[in-house]
Amino acid sequence: MATKSIVGRISTADSVFLLCDVQERFRSLIDKMENVIYVAKKLADAAKILEIPLLITEQNPSRLGKTVPEIDISAAAGVYEKKLFSMVTPELEEKLNSLGRKSVVLFGIEAHVCVLQTTLDLVDRGYTVHACMDGISSQRAFDRFVAMERLKQSGAFLTTSESLLFQLIGGAEHPKFKDISAL
């Protein structure tokens, strides 16, 4: 098992992207949901370009709807239905383990519930978690603010989608630089 980076380094070879519950029912409920969708779309597209596995959860989709249609999930390595708050269901955890990657890029909703509980479960299991805060929200801004503090306290690295993507490619010489820059 890889040891957790104390500085938050990340590479395409050791990363997996986790998209948490960006579903139709939440569209009108989540603070700045349009930004969450924009960032989730950008990161899902980047995962495809960089060949990073994307795992997606949908909270009780029969009642809350599927992942919003703006996000292309056709290349996802798995879409998992859940009723737990944490994304770390037995099915998702089995897939995550099979990938053998120890850095997780996490984005979605809600910051203070599903994202937080997922982070706690992943950190407990030895994963390094990079929380893309421009792609994470809650119904109430204060819940998001407190969750951000809690994520930091728990050992997650807070970042933005742009910072993370440029960290993954490392420089303009990367063969996918133009594709990533265009997102």
Side-chain angles (χ1 to χ4, degrees), residues 31-169:
D31 184 47
K32 297 182 178 47
M33 184 64 161
E34 65 284 344
N35 198 62
V36 171
I37 293 169
Y38 172 80
V39 171
K41 178 184 177 357
K42 176 168 58 169
L43 290 173
D45 291 347
K48 187 175 183 178
I49 292 166
L50 297 173
E51 299 178 6
I52 296 172
L54 170 65
L55 304 178
I56 299 166
T57 57
E58 296 174 337
Q59 182 74 27
N60 195 6
S62 64
R63 294 194 61 225
L64 302 174
K66 297 284 190 182
T67 300
V68 297
E70 295 94 323
I71 303 168
D72 178 7
I73 64 171
S74 63
V79 179
Y80 301 89
E81 185 175 326
K82 70 180 182 73
K83 292 192 177 172
L84 296 174
F85 293 130
S86 174
M87 292 179 76
V88 186
T89 63
E91 299 81 12
L92 185 133
E93 185 171 17
E94 182 180 334
K95 179 64 175 183
L96 197 54
N97 290 339
S98 76
L99 295 170
R101 296 168 180 238
K102 295 306 283 185
S103 290
V104 171
V105 175
L106 182 57
F107 49 104
I109 59 172
E110 282 192 77
H112 65 295
V113 183
C114 299
V115 172
L116 176 60
Q117 290 185 34
T118 299
T119 297
L120 297 175
D121 286 345
L122 291 169
V123 169
D124 275 349
R125 289 162 171 80
Y127 289 90
T128 301
V129 176
H130 301 264
C132 282
M133 296 310 299
D134 55 338
I136 295 172
S137 195
S138 294
Q139 291 184 52
R140 290 168 294 282
F142 188 71
D143 285 332
R144 181 185 180 277
F145 170 77
V146 172
M148 192 167 40
E149 293 300 313
R150 184 74 169 94
L151 290 166
K152 284 192 299 191
Q153 292 167 349
S154 303
F157 294 99
L158 305 190
T159 189
T160 65
S161 57
E162 184 169 328
S163 177
L164 177 99
L165 291 174
F166 286 128
Q167 188 178 1
L168 283 168
I169 62 173

